[in-house]
């Protein structure tokens, strides 16, 4: 028949919609998808926490980062409603201890909360509808069980577990969609949290509760209702980092298989730093490989308004912080005060932490800093600032091609004039007489260089740190650039410092022409009044 012919074993015998569903979704991913990356070693982790104090797991990550794929994999592995040996025997998990003893041995209840949310108009309706659907399948599966109240979901689950000695695994996908649907309705949110707490907390019938969503668990003082969950979020994925997206090794292997340039794939889709593990956006990598090109695939799955409404907030000095992020800087953030919702934004830290959870920024756990992860997301930020008071920033970005060309041609007067213009026009965003602000303006003015160069700030040379270094990407036939900035000195001094401290040594492995750029900003007062002046000196050397 249909299922047997597709290798789905006895899925048709016991398959339910919510209780013990089959493995067809995972089968389609493994057998029918053009690209499948084996992440089954996640099961090694979930097996290790079964029936333990750590059995409640909440994994939050951005949209299109494989949340549903992981959920489908877990239900295919654990569900008693199918025989998945043929699917898993050739995958990585098959060699791990405990693989066979847990394979298709559990009652699995799979709940995608968006399904229930779309069919109801309130949290009360959602809860009642969910209970009726699950209870109906439980009664059909266990007609011989004598329950005290077949309308009480918890009582039914406890009775089945007691009489049949069969624990349950709960896989709850998109658990946080309620907080996106009812962002301001605290009472509705609390009802939902209370329902989940009563269903899952301290219940002996729970062998594993695995929840996925975009946001970490919402907390309300006494309503830290789900505090039994261990959380794995984009600010700390802990031991699950490698399962959050594609790793460097996986992407490198795929690039070889599909004859795609790895360095460009890295430039476009890498950059999610999860405690030392580099993660690529899986959706974008797959689309790039199949289309054999590079484009903004992940960001096109949602309108740029989703990002724009947050970075356009006229508070918390956000405009200056976002400008620094756009030019490639990292910004310090405290994510601990974030209330895990999209509306309680009381500081810049809250806004930037939300953008981490949405996937628009990546968080360096050890240094507590955020940055824009890659070129794909960078383009989305630019789309969001093309209007709404960001004209000086956009003017500098649009002029950056001309500035780079003038730099490479050695036009010192033009370079000085363009940097001065960018500096003056952005004084409303960045403090004018501030050395860090000057460095930010320089990065902004050379924005277009990112297409052909890897740009580094404070890169170590032989006897110090070069302010900015531009290293041409592979297959780019352009000279390297070393920039030194000075404040109230002169551009010649900047050039001499590059030479004396041997900053060109920061370009280890590079050979060819290097453009040395010294930029000085002088500000003060003289007999004619206040003066503000930029000057530039350019030399070229070969190594």
């Amino acid at each position: 028949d249909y299922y047997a012919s597709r290798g789905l074993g006895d899925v048709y015998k016991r398959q339910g919609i919510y209780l013990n569903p089959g493995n067809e979704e995972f089968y389609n991913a493994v057998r029918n998808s053009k690209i499948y990356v084996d992440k089954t070693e996640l099961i090694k982790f979930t097996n290790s926490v079964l029936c333990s104090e750590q059995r409640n797991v909440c994994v939050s990550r951005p949209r299109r980062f494989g949340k549903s794929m992981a959920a489908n994999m877990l239900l295919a592995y654990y569900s008693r409603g199918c025989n998945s040996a043929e699917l898993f025997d050739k995958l990585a998990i098959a060699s791990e201890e405990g693989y066979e003893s847990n394979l298709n041995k559990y009652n699995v209840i799979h709940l995608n909360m968006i399904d229930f949310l779309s069919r109801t108009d309130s949290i009360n309706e959602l809860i009642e509808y969910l209970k009726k659907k699950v209870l109906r399948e439980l009664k059909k599966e266990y007609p011989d069980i004598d329950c005290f109240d077949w309308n009480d979901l918890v009582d039914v689950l406890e009775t089945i577990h007691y009489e049949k000695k069969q624990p349950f695994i709960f896989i709850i996908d998109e658990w946080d969609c309620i907080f996106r649907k009812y962002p301001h309705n605290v009472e509705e949110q609390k009802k939902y949290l209370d329902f989940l707490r009563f269903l899952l907390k301290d219940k002996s019938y729970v062998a594993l509760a695995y929840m996925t969503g975009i946001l970490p668990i919402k907390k309300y003082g006494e309503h830290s209702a789900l505090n039994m969950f261990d959380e794995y979020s984009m600010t700390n994925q802990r031991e699950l980092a490698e399962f959050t997206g594609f790793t460097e090794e996986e992407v490198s292997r795929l690039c070889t298989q599909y004859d795609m340039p790895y360095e460009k794939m890295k430039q476009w889709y890498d950059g999610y730093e999860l405690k030392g593990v580099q993660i690529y956006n899986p959706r974008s990598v797959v689309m790039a490989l199949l289309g054999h090109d590079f484009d903004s695939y992940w960001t096109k799955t949602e309108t740029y308004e989703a990002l724009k409404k947050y970075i356009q907030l006229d508070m918390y000095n956000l405009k200056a912080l976002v400008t620094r992020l756009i030019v490639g800087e990292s910004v310090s953030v405290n994510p601990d005060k974030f209330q895990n919702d999209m509306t309680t934004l009381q500081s810049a830290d809250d806004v930037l932490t939300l953008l981490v959870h949405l996937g628009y920024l990546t968080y360096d756990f050890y240094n507590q800093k955020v940055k824009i992860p890659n070129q794909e997301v960078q383009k989305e930020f630019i789309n969001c600032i093309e209007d709404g008071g960001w004209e000086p920033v956009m003017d500098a970005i649009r002029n950056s091609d001309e500035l780079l060309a003038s730099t490479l041609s050695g036009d010192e007067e033009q370079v000085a004039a363009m940097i001065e213009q960018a500096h003056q026009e952005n004084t409303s965003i960045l403090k004018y007489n501030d050395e860090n602000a000057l460095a930010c303006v320089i990065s902004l003015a050379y924005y277009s260089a990112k297409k052909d160069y890897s740009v580094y700030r404070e890169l170590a040379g032989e006897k110090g740190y070069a302010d900015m270094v531009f290293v041409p990407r592979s297959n780019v036939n352009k000279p390297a650039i070393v920039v030194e900035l000075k404040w109230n000195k002169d551009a010649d001094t900047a050039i001499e410092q590059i030479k004396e401290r041997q900053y060109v040594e920061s370009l280890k492995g590079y050979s060819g022409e290097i453009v040395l750029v010294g930029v000085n900003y002088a500000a003060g007062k003289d007999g004619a009044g206040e003066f503000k002046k930029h000057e530039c000196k350019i030399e070229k050397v070969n190594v």
Side-chain angles (χ1 to χ4, degrees), residues 317-342:
N317 197 35
L318 270 173
K319 187 171 287 188
L321 295 175
V322 170
T323 301
R324 290 175 56 193
L325 290 167
I326 286 172
V327 303
E329 292 187 12
S330 296
V331 172
S332 295
V333 166
N334 176 8
D336 296 335
K337 297 184 295 180
F338 181 57
Q339 295 298 301
N340 296 350
D341 63 35
M342 295 182 170

Side-chain angles (χ1 to χ4, degrees), residues 301-510:
T301 63
E302 188 170 60
T303 67
Y304 78 97
E305 295 291 340
L307 171 63
K308 183 176 180 179
K309 67 181 178 181
Y310 296 113
I311 67 172
Q312 292 281 19
L313 291 173
D314 187 20
M315 55 185 180
Y316 313 135
N317 197 35
L318 270 173
K319 187 171 287 188
L321 295 175
V322 170
T323 301
R324 290 175 56 193
L325 290 167
I326 286 172
V327 303
E329 292 187 12
S330 296
V331 172
S332 295
V333 166
N334 176 8
D336 296 335
K337 297 184 295 180
F338 181 57
Q339 295 298 301
N340 296 350
D341 63 35
M342 295 182 170
T343 56
T344 312
L345 304 174
Q346 300 176 341
S347 67
D349 286 343
D350 290 343
V351 177
L352 298 178
T353 302
L354 173 59
L355 296 183
V356 171
H357 292 299
L358 296 178
Y360 292 108
L361 296 176
T362 182
Y363 177 68
D364 183 336
F365 176 85
Y366 297 108
N367 295 310
Q368 291 193 307
K369 291 186 175 183
V370 295
K371 66 178 181 180
I372 297 174
N374 53 47
Q375 184 171 326
E376 179 182 31
V377 181
Q378 185 89 20
K379 289 181 66 177
E380 194 74 351
F381 271 83
I382 299 302
N383 289 339
C384 292
I385 67 167
E386 286 190 325
D387 51 37
W390 297 78
E391 288 79 7
V393 175
M394 287 306 303
D395 285 345
I397 290 173
R398 294 186 183 107
N399 294 333
S400 58
D401 278 326
E402 182 182 352
L403 175 62
L404 180 61
S406 297
T407 302
L408 296 178
S409 67
D411 191 338
E412 297 171 344
E413 290 187 5
Q414 179 70 0
V415 170
M418 295 186 72
I419 290 175
E420 183 167 315
Q421 179 183 351
H423 201 169
Q424 290 175 343
E425 289 182 351
N426 284 282
T427 54
S428 62
I429 297 175
L430 303 167
K431 293 179 181 179
Y432 197 91
N433 293 321
D434 183 288
E435 192 165 350
N436 290 326
L438 175 61
C440 184
V441 167
I442 297 294
S443 298
L444 181 64
Y446 281 102
Y447 179 84
S448 67
K450 294 181 180 182
K451 291 182 293 186
D452 294 327
Y453 290 88
S454 296
V455 182
Y456 302 95
R457 286 276 302 275
E458 299 293 333
L459 193 61
E462 187 69 20
K463 300 178 181 179
Y465 292 84
D467 284 332
M468 296 185 68
V469 176
F470 299 71
V471 182
R473 300 185 187 277
S474 61
N475 302 318
V476 172
N477 186 24
K478 290 183 177 180
I481 305 171
V482 177
V483 180
E484 180 64 22
L485 308 177
K486 287 297 174 187
W487 192 268
N488 279 335
K489 293 183 180 178
D490 58 69
D492 286 319
T493 299
I495 292 291
E496 289 306 312
Q497 182 169 318
I498 294 174
K499 295 176 180 178
E500 289 174 3
R501 299 189 181 180
Q502 301 177 38
Y503 288 161
V504 294
E505 294 299 319
S506 63
L507 288 89
K508 292 179 174 62
Y510 174 83

